[in-house]
Amino acid sequence: MTENRNIRDQLRAADYVADDALSTALQLAINLKRPLLLEGEAGVGKTEVAKALASIMQTNLIRLQCYEGLDAAAAIYEWNYQKQLLYIKASEREDKTASQVEQHIFTEDFLLERPLLQAIGQEISPVLLIDEIDRADEEFEAYLLEILSDFQITVPELGTITATSVPHVILTSNGTRELSDALRRRCLYSYVDFPSQARELEIILSRVPDIEAGLADQISRFVLNLRKEELEKNPGVAETLDWAAALVGLKISSLDGDLETIQSTLICLLKTETDLKSITKEVASRLLGKAA
Amino acid sequence: MEPISHHIQDKNILENHPLAARMAGFIDHLRMNEYALGPAETQMALRVIGDPFSGLDDARLKLKVLLTGRPEEWRQFDDLFEAYWTRLGKERASWQHEKNVRNRTKASLPEAWKEHLSASVPEGGNAPQIETEGVAEVEGEASGRLIATDKTSQMRTDLRQYVDADEIREAEKLAYRIASAMRYRLSRRHRLSVQGSKLDLRRTIRRSLGTGGEPISLKWRARPDRPIRLVVFLDVSGSMKHYSRFFLQFVKGLVCQWMEADAYLVHTKLIRVTDVVRDKNSTKAMTRLSLMAEGFGGGTRLGQSLAQFNSQYAKRSLNGRSVVLILSDGYDTGPADQLAEELKRLKKRAPKLIWLNPLLGWRQYEPVTQAMAAAQPHIDYFAAANTLESLAALEPEIARV
C-alpha cells in the first residue's frame, strides 16, 4: 500500500489526481515492466495519465497517435528516400561501386525514426503513449504485439534493434472497437471512469488555482448531475476545467447567481447542438438547485 | 480435466501450498466466468500479491489490474473476488447452482420454448405470435402484439404470397445486386501494385542500386480493395414465418455472392447456416434450411442469440470492415436491456449495423416494441423490407453505408 500511496502522492504533486485502482495499475506496470491498457470514455483523463507519469519519472514522453491506416512506416521507421537519392547522385563522381553505395545509404544516417523506434532507443526509459489504439487497424495491432512483448524491432537492412531501455508503455482506448484478446493479455488493464465528485473537486482545486472552494464544490456537483442526464457526449474532466476557468474569468463566485450568464457558459461543457438544446433553462436551474 | 478448484478441499495441497492452491482455485473460478486466463497469469498473480503482501484491498486491486482485460470484467471482478476470497463456501454453492441452471436451459430447449409460449400466448398453445387468428381476439395483449395482430389482413398482401419460384428467383437476383453494390471498399493504406498512383520510393530506390542509382524501373503503390465482410442474422421465429422462405432466398443470394459472409438463423437460439446456404444445389439447400428453420417456429430471443454470437463467433466473424444485417420484425421475447447491451457489444466489432424490418413497410407501423426501441440507437440504417420493391430500394442506400 505504501508504494501505491507513494505514486499517488507523486502524481498529485504533478497535478494529476488518481484513485486507488489507477495508482495500483501504474505501480504494477512500473514494477512488472508491462504495458498498461487504459480504457474508458473520452475525457476521463487517460492521456493525461501518461503525461503525469512522464513528469514524475522525469523522462521523455513519446506519443504515437493512432489513426485508421496507420502503418509501420509511420509508426516505426522509414528510410529518408530523398536523402538517399541525393547521396547516390552525389557519389556518382566518386567512383564508388554499387555495393559501397548500398552499404552507406542503409545506415542510421538515412534512417527516420518514428515514435516506436525512438522509444526503444532512449537511454532512460521513456513513457511511450500509444493513444487511441482502437482507431488503428487490426493489422497494426498485430504488429504492435511483437514490439510490446520483446521490445525489439527488426529493420531488414540493419538487423534487429533491441531496446536500450524498456519504455513504460501506456495504451489508451475509447472502446469504439473491440481490441484483440492477444493484445489485452499482454497488457495490465485498468478501466478509467469519470471521477467521483470528491476526486473531481480535488482536480478542480489543483488545476484552477484561483478558484474559491465553494464554487469548485458546486461545479463538481453540477457536472456529476449533468453526466446523469441523457447526453450525446458526456462532459469530460477537461471540459469541467474549462468551465471552471470560464466562471472564474467571469468573476462568478457562486452558481446561485445569474442563471442567464451561467447558462451561456454551458458551451464549455456541452459539445453538440442536441446536448445544448436538451439542457434548457429549466433543466439547468434544476441541476443548479441540486448542486447548490 | 477436472478443474483445480475441485481439489481445493484436498488437505494435502492446502497444507503444502496454501496460497498457490487457493490462487489456482481463484483463477479457475474466474475462468468459469469466462475470463481468458492461463497458467502464466496464476504465476504472475502469486508474484504480485506476495511482494510484499499489504492487505486484502491492495491485493484485490493488484489482481484486478492483472487479471481483467475488458470493461465487463473490470466491473464484475470485485464481486467475484469477494465471493471467492471472503465467502468461499457459500458463494461457491450458489455459483454452482447458477451453472446448473444454465446447462439445463441449454439441454432442454423445448421446455424453455413452452415456457415462453405459455407466458406470451395465453391461448392457442404453440401458435406463432402474429399469424394465429385466435390470438387477434385475445384482449389485453402487449401493445406491440396488438398492433401486429391488427394488421393480419394487410399482411396477406405482403411478401408471404410470393412463394412461387419466379419471385424467389427474383429475390436471389436482387440479393446479388445488393451484394455487388456494397462488396468492395478502398483501403486507406497503400500496397505494392503494378498499376498504382503513388510511387513506392522504398522499392524504387532499392531497384535503382542495380542501375547505379538511376531509378529506371519505377515501383508503384495503390490502394488495395478490401472486401467488406457481411454477417446476416435471419429471424425465423413464428412471427416471421411467412417472410422466412423469401428472406432465406435473399440471404442465400447475399452469402453466395460474397466471399466473406456468414449467415445465422435466430429464433430461441442461434444456428450458423453459412455452409448450408452455400450449397450449390439450390433446392437441396433450401430444403435443409427450411427444415432447420421450421423446427423452431417459436419466439425470438434476439438478445440471447446475439449474446451467443458475441461470445462464440464474433471474434472470428467480424472485423473493422464488417456489415451486420439483421432481418427481423423485432418481436423479441427476451429482455430489451439485454438486446441493447448485445447490440452495443456487436457494434464495437462491426462498424455498420443494418436492420431490415418487414413490418416497417406497413403504413401505420411504429417500432414501438420495447426491444425495437432499445435497439434503435445502435442501428445505422433501419428500413422496410416487406416487398421486392422495398428490397430493391435498399441497393443505393446500402452501397452508401
Side-chain angles (χ1 to χ4, degrees):
Chain A
M1 194 54 103
T2 44
E3 267 184 340
N4 296 342
R5 280 257 167 268
N6 192 9
I7 195 156
R8 215 178 141 176
D9 293 344
Q10 286 181 31
L11 285 170
R12 184 72 182 73
D15 282 343
Y16 190 92
V17 184
D19 59 9
D20 278 340
L22 187 57
S23 38
T24 307
L26 285 170
Q27 188 64 56
L28 269 188
I30 295 167
N31 291 356
L32 300 176
K33 293 194 170 46
R34 275 180 64 170
L36 173 64
L37 171 64
L38 297 178
E39 221 171 357
E41 277 193 63
V44 293
K46 302 184 294 292
T47 305
E48 287 295 313
V49 175
K51 292 184 188 164
L53 187 66
S55 135
I56 64 171
M57 301 192 92
Q58 296 181 334
T59 177
N60 291 334
L61 173 72
I62 296 175
R63 178 173 177 168
L64 173 67
Q65 173 67 50
C66 299
Y67 52 87
E68 195 195 331
L70 173 70
D71 59 3
I76 302 168
Y77 75 96
E78 197 169 16
W79 291 105
N80 190 341
Y81 308 115
Q82 286 80 357
K83 204 173 159 190
Q84 283 178 327
L85 268 179
L86 282 173
Y87 180 83
I88 296 170
K89 277 282 166 203
S91 56
E92 268 173 7
R93 274 182 243 149
E94 291 174 22
D95 200 26
K96 282 184 179 168
T97 63
S99 66
Q100 277 172 324
V101 174
E102 184 178 346
Q103 257 177 17
H104 193 86
I105 64 168
F106 290 111
T107 57
E108 286 183 18
D109 294 348
F110 296 86
L111 193 68
L112 292 175
E113 289 188 350
R114 302 289 188 221
L116 292 181
L117 189 57
Q118 256 175 37
I120 67 163
Q122 304 272 316
E123 286 297 323
I124 304 162
S125 298
V127 172
L128 170 63
L129 169 64
I130 302 176
D131 215 2
E132 305 193 40
I133 177 70
D134 50 337
R135 285 178 183 236
D137 303 302
E138 281 128 11
E139 293 92 328
F140 182 74
E141 205 184 299
Y143 204 98
L144 209 55
L145 289 179
E146 185 198 338
I147 298 169
L148 290 184
S149 54
D150 301 335
F151 292 103
Q152 61 180 35
I153 290 170
T154 307
V155 179
E157 294 87 351
L158 292 179
T160 302
I161 302 171
T162 318
T164 327
S165 60
V166 174
H168 305 288
V169 185
I170 292 188
L171 299 105
T172 75
S173 159
N174 293 337
T176 54
R177 174 174 72 78
E178 193 66 35
L179 302 174
S180 73
D181 277 352
L183 182 72
R184 287 183 190 276
R185 277 199 67 186
R186 274 183 185 64
C187 300
L188 298 175
Y189 181 81
S190 189
Y191 188 84
V192 188
D193 230 328
F194 283 113
S196 63
Q197 188 259 328
R199 198 155 74 86
E200 191 147 32
L201 173 62
E202 213 181 322
I203 295 170
I204 299 171
L205 288 173
S206 77
R207 299 295 276 272
V208 188
D210 304 334
I211 203 163
E212 285 174 36
L215 178 63
D217 186 54
Q218 283 181 326
I219 290 175
S220 63
R221 283 173 203 282
F222 182 88
V223 175
L224 185 77
N225 288 317
L226 187 64
R227 285 190 192 124
K228 288 180 191 155
E229 299 287 313
E230 297 256 317
L231 294 179
E232 272 185 356
K233 162 109 190 46
N234 269 326
V237 178
E239 277 82 28
T240 310
L241 293 174
D242 283 350
W243 192 45
L247 292 175
V248 170
L250 289 169
K251 308 243 182 302
I252 291 173
S253 57
S254 162
L255 290 184
D256 309 329
D258 182 5
L259 181 62
E260 197 103 331
T261 323
I262 291 168
Q263 170 91 11
S264 67
T265 56
L266 287 182
I267 48 167
C268 298
L269 295 174
L270 305 168
K271 295 300 170 68
T272 73
E273 201 190 342
T274 335
D275 285 354
L276 268 176
K277 278 188 186 148
S278 71
I279 305 298
T280 55
K281 246 183 211 162
E282 290 71 41
V283 180
S285 79
R286 173 167 57 83
L287 292 176
L288 287 172
K290 272 192 207 167
Chain B
M1 203 182 77
E2 209 178 340
I4 305 162
S5 64
H6 290 180
H7 298 296
I8 206 105
Q9 285 10 342
D10 189 332
K11 280 195 174 152
N12 283 336
I13 293 181
L14 274 177
E15 276 161 17
N16 292 340
H17 310 281
L19 188 60
R22 281 203 72 185
M23 185 58 79
F26 181 55
I27 301 279
D28 194 41
H29 169 67
L30 292 179
R31 231 179 269 147
M32 291 288 189
N33 284 284
E34 291 172 10
Y35 283 55
L37 299 169
E41 274 79 14
T42 316
Q43 234 174 17
M44 192 68 95
L46 279 169
R47 200 182 126 193
V48 160
I49 60 161
D51 167 45
F53 187 75
S54 50
L56 203 61
D57 256 358
D58 187 48
R60 177 179 59 81
L61 280 176
K62 282 180 174 169
L63 291 178
K64 190 173 179 179
V65 166
L66 186 70
L67 302 175
T68 61
R70 49 186 78 244
E72 311 88 71
E73 292 174 0
W74 180 261
R75 277 180 217 116
Q76 193 191 18
F77 185 86
D78 288 347
D79 290 342
L80 292 174
F81 182 87
E82 195 169 322
Y84 186 83
W85 293 99
T86 59
R87 284 178 283 156
L88 184 64
K90 191 176 141 222
E91 285 297 315
R92 168 99 31 94
S94 72
W95 160 71
Q96 286 282 2
H97 171 69
E98 243 173 61
K99 207 179 114 210
N100 291 340
V101 169
R102 202 169 57 199
N103 286 346
R104 198 174 59 225
T105 327
K106 271 186 186 164
S108 55
L109 252 175
E111 232 182 86
W113 199 62
K114 250 181 256 159
E115 263 169 42
H116 144 68
L117 280 173
S118 62
S120 60
V121 184
E123 294 174 14
N126 56 359
Q129 287 172 11
I130 303 175
E131 297 310 309
T132 314
E133 262 74 11
V135 181
E137 269 86 58
V138 178
E139 281 185 90
E141 282 289 287
S143 60
R145 290 279 301 284
L146 267 182
I147 286 175
T149 47
D150 276 350
K151 304 286 184 282
T152 315
S153 60
Q154 277 190 11
M155 259 178 76
R156 293 255 152 81
T157 63
D158 267 337
L159 274 181
R160 62 202 176 111
Q161 293 204 328
Y162 299 146
V163 284
D164 67 275
D166 280 350
E167 294 290 353
I168 284 193
R169 221 172 296 130
E170 199 60 34
E172 197 166 349
K173 246 193 257 166
L174 193 62
Y176 276 131
R177 265 175 41 211
I178 291 180
S180 33
M182 57 184 285
R183 190 164 174 185
Y184 286 108
R185 286 279 180 284
L186 279 181
S187 167
R188 290 196 189 182
R189 289 181 170 206
H190 284 87
R191 291 261 158 80
L192 188 68
S193 161
V194 182
Q195 286 179 315
S197 54
K198 207 177 154 192
L199 202 59
D200 187 336
L201 273 169
R202 168 188 284 250
R203 290 189 175 82
T204 304
I205 287 176
R206 257 271 173 226
R207 188 52 73 93
S208 76
L209 289 173
T211 50
E214 210 61 62
I216 291 170
S217 129
L218 297 181
K219 296 282 163 199
W220 297 94
R221 289 154 80 81
R223 300 189 160 187
D225 277 342
R226 297 209 287 188
I228 284 181
R229 190 173 285 200
L230 181 75
V231 178
V232 193
F233 294 95
L234 175 58
D235 179 352
V236 287
S237 61
S239 59
M240 287 283 287
K241 208 171 173 182
H242 291 282
Y243 295 101
S244 296
R245 199 173 148 74
F246 171 80
F247 275 144
L248 272 175
Q249 202 62 31
F250 180 68
V251 169
K252 180 166 162 45
L254 281 177
V255 172
C256 291
Q257 171 73 0
W258 229 282
M259 296 301 288
E260 295 184 23
D262 235 351
Y264 298 85
L265 297 186
V266 177
H267 32 80
T268 49
K269 62 174 187 175
L270 185 81
I271 310 173
R272 185 166 181 271
V273 292
T274 316
D275 302 330
V276 182
V277 168
R278 285 232 166 99
D279 196 326
K280 277 200 186 113
N281 183 337
S282 188
T283 330
K284 207 172 117 199
M286 290 310 287
T287 316
R288 275 174 73 191
L289 261 177
S290 298
L291 279 176
M292 288 170 92
E294 290 286 329
F296 313 81
T300 327
R301 298 223 182 111
L302 206 48
Q304 199 180 312
S305 304
L306 286 179
Q308 194 190 339
F309 173 80
N310 279 334
S311 56
Q312 204 176 330
Y313 301 104
K315 223 176 283 172
R316 271 183 293 141
S317 200
L318 296 175
N319 64 18
R321 296 178 296 281
S322 299
V323 173
V324 174
L325 191 63
I326 298 179
L327 294 158
S328 168
D329 55 9
Y331 282 94
D332 192 21
T333 50
D337 294 352
Q338 190 189 18
L339 179 64
E341 186 57 37
E342 294 306 328
L343 282 175
K344 201 172 149 197
R345 267 176 80 191
L346 192 69
K347 275 285 289 181
K348 279 193 182 168
R349 291 192 189 270
K352 292 289 171 218
L353 176 61
I354 300 172
W355 189 307
L356 302 183
N357 188 336
L359 304 188
L360 206 60
W362 296 349
R363 254 173 294 143
Q364 286 156 17
Y365 175 78
E366 294 270 336
V368 288
T369 61
Q370 274 190 336
M372 223 44 249
Q376 261 189 327
H378 307 286
I379 302 172
D380 294 298
Y381 184 70
F382 188 41
N386 61 329
T387 58
L388 277 180
E389 289 84 68
S390 62
L391 273 181
L394 284 178
E395 190 187 326
E397 291 295 337
I398 290 186
R400 229 180 303 157
V401 167

